[in-house]
Amino acid sequence: MQTNPENPFAVKEEEDIVSFVACVLYMSIVKFPSTRDYWSSSIGIAHVTNIMPVNRFGKLQSIVHFADNNSADKDDKLLKIRPLINKINEQLNSIPFEEKFAVDEQIILFKGRHLIKPYSPEKPHKWGFKVFVLSGVSGYNFDVYCGGSDNICLENEPDLEASSNVVMRLARILPDGVNRKLYVDNWFNSIGLNVYMFKRGIQMVEIARRNRVGNCPVLSDKEMKQRSRGAFTEHVAKVDGFDVSVVSWFDSKVVTLVSNFIGSEPSIEVRRFSRKDTCHINISCPGVVTIYNKHMGRVDLLDSLLGYYRNKIRSKKWYHRIFFHLIDMSLINARIFWQKRNPSTPLVKFKLAVADSLSNYQVSRKRKAGRPSLADITQHVGPKIAIPHVPR
């Protein structure tokens, strides 16, 4: 409407928007080099061509919008996609909270230009938008990184530096005093964060960096490696009247963990391969390491599921990449609830079933005079892919 007010492009909700999302889901499963290849008469996909013509899909992709430019907050670096992010987080927060949560980061792949796109040389995907995720078994809450403008604390919250403040912001949705458990890696860790969470009644385990454990007399890596493999030390100190345990453990390398509810006991034995002895040996493993390894990898599992059928529609608009990523994340979260009643449904079948359901919302158009559209032609001559039917 802003570019062509005399002849605005008419968009119908059921016929266009829902069908557009259905096409996006099909394209995330079957990968072609170009978007227009899905309407090709030789290699096209009938499930896509039957939904809408290629030119209409391209037009919808070019004009899709999520915020009113006139009323949006100009200082918000995510103003183009902010209403959708808030709406999805609102729906996710309505899910009943579980006992255990993990906080980690993920990358939305994007090589275009934008102010909030950081460069992460240590990551497999170095360019893209950074997303901080609070993940449980049945759902998640997320926050897209916007730089220093995000580092804002409430009146009753301490300033624990930028990395620890991320966990504090994500954990605002967790209720106080019901012993929820939180697991984070070493980028977010600080002793102050552990104490603050304990004051809220949230139990916490975090991998610690040596320069963030305060005056705790932890042994150096050289001193720990002089001991046998499986050796560990524990120091318990009172910080603001609360006990905090710092455990250092030597496995293939030295790792330090901080917790406000568990220490080195109960320790167990784990099986490891010894290069020196060229055989498997049993070594001691502190209890805090066991419980951390059991519950920390939930965001990594979410990333692995996203990688199977990630949407790779190319676009120069940065908010398109976030939009497609949010669609994939929402489908994975919906499948988690579906699996509670249908545990044997693969992700691909679930995604196809949702795409099929959305495509059925399409309102059939009246046949126009003149040459038939490409969608009508491919119904008869275009190749089809057999898609298994999943009961809805």
Side-chain angles (χ1 to χ4, degrees), residues 118-277:
Y119 174 67
S120 305
E122 73 283 357
K123 297 291 184 181
H125 304 290
K126 298 175 175 55
W127 298 100
F129 299 108
K130 184 181 294 187
V131 183
F132 300 113
V133 183
L134 173 71
S135 178
V137 175
S138 298
Y140 55 87
N141 184 275
F142 65 95
D143 184 20
V144 182
Y145 172 76
C146 291
S149 60
D150 283 345
N151 193 20
I152 299 175
C153 303
L154 301 180
E155 294 182 359
N156 58 340
E157 295 176 342
D159 188 357
L160 303 174
E161 298 184 354
S163 58
S164 297
N165 288 344
V166 171
V167 181
M168 192 166 56
R169 288 197 305 271
L170 291 173
R172 287 171 185 168
I173 64 171
L174 300 181
D176 296 344
V178 290
N179 289 330
R180 294 289 191 267
K181 294 179 175 60
L182 193 61
Y183 303 88
V184 302
D185 67 6
N186 62 357
W187 191 80
F188 305 97
N189 106 279
S190 70
I191 296 294
L193 177 64
N194 218 295
V195 173
Y196 171 75
M197 290 299 171
F198 192 81
K199 292 179 180 179
R200 288 189 53 192
I202 298 175
Q203 300 174 345
M204 189 173 182
V205 178
E206 51 187 358
I207 295 286
R209 296 183 179 182
R210 291 301 182 91
N211 59 346
R212 297 189 186 179
V213 294
N215 296 324
C216 184
V218 294
L219 298 180
S220 64
D221 289 356
K222 182 178 180 181
E223 293 173 321
M224 289 293 298
K225 290 180 180 179
Q226 290 176 352
R227 305 188 177 191
S228 59
R229 188 176 181 181
F232 60 86
T233 61
E234 180 179 8
H235 301 276
V236 179
K238 282 191 176 294
V239 182
D240 290 346
F242 301 99
D243 289 337
V244 177
S245 173
V246 180
V247 177
S248 295
W249 179 53
F250 173 47
D251 186 11
S252 57
K253 63 179 182 179
V254 180
V255 61
T256 302
L257 295 95
V258 179
S259 175
N260 57 24
F261 77 99
I262 188 173
S264 59
E265 300 296 336
S267 61
I268 62 172
E269 287 192 347
V270 293
R271 188 176 175 84
R272 295 288 189 270
F273 181 79
S274 173
R275 293 184 180 180
K276 180 179 179 181
D277 301 327

Side-chain angles (χ1 to χ4, degrees), residues 1-71:
M1 295 181 66
Q2 294 174 346
T3 57
N4 191 8
E6 294 83 7
N7 187 20
F9 185 75
V11 179
K12 297 180 181 180
E13 179 180 356
E14 292 187 354
E15 186 173 353
D16 292 318
I17 298 179
V18 178
S19 299
F20 176 80
V21 176
C23 291
V24 170
L25 293 179
Y26 283 128
M27 293 175 183
S28 68
I29 299 171
V30 182
K31 307 291 177 35
F32 282 156
S34 173
T35 302
R36 301 188 71 88
D37 290 339
Y38 292 93
W39 283 267
S40 171
S41 58
S42 57
I43 61 173
I45 305 299
H47 290 82
V48 176
T49 60
N50 292 342
I51 296 177
M52 67 174 62
V54 59
N55 291 336
R56 192 166 186 84
F57 179 86
K59 184 64 175 179
L60 288 171
Q61 182 182 356
S62 66
I63 67 173
V64 62
H65 242 65
F66 308 96
D68 185 356
N69 292 337
N70 297 324
S71 61

Side-chain angles (χ1 to χ4, degrees), residues 65-107:
H65 242 65
F66 308 96
D68 185 356
N69 292 337
N70 297 324
S71 61
D73 182 7
K74 303 301 181 182
D75 296 330
D76 187 2
K77 298 177 182 178
L78 293 173
L79 64 92
K80 293 284 189 179
I81 195 74
R82 178 65 68 185
L84 182 63
I85 292 175
N86 293 341
K87 186 62 178 178
I88 292 180
N89 268 329
E90 178 185 343
Q91 295 296 320
L92 294 172
N93 293 343
S94 65
I95 300 172
F97 294 110
E98 299 147 340
E99 181 185 0
K100 302 175 179 66
F101 291 87
V103 175
D104 208 343
E105 61 183 25
Q106 59 181 199
I107 300 295

Side-chain angles (χ1 to χ4, degrees), residues 14-15 19 360-365:
E14 292 187 354
E15 186 173 353
S19 299
N360 290 336
Y361 272 83
Q362 179 186 9
V363 179
S364 60
R365 298 186 180 92

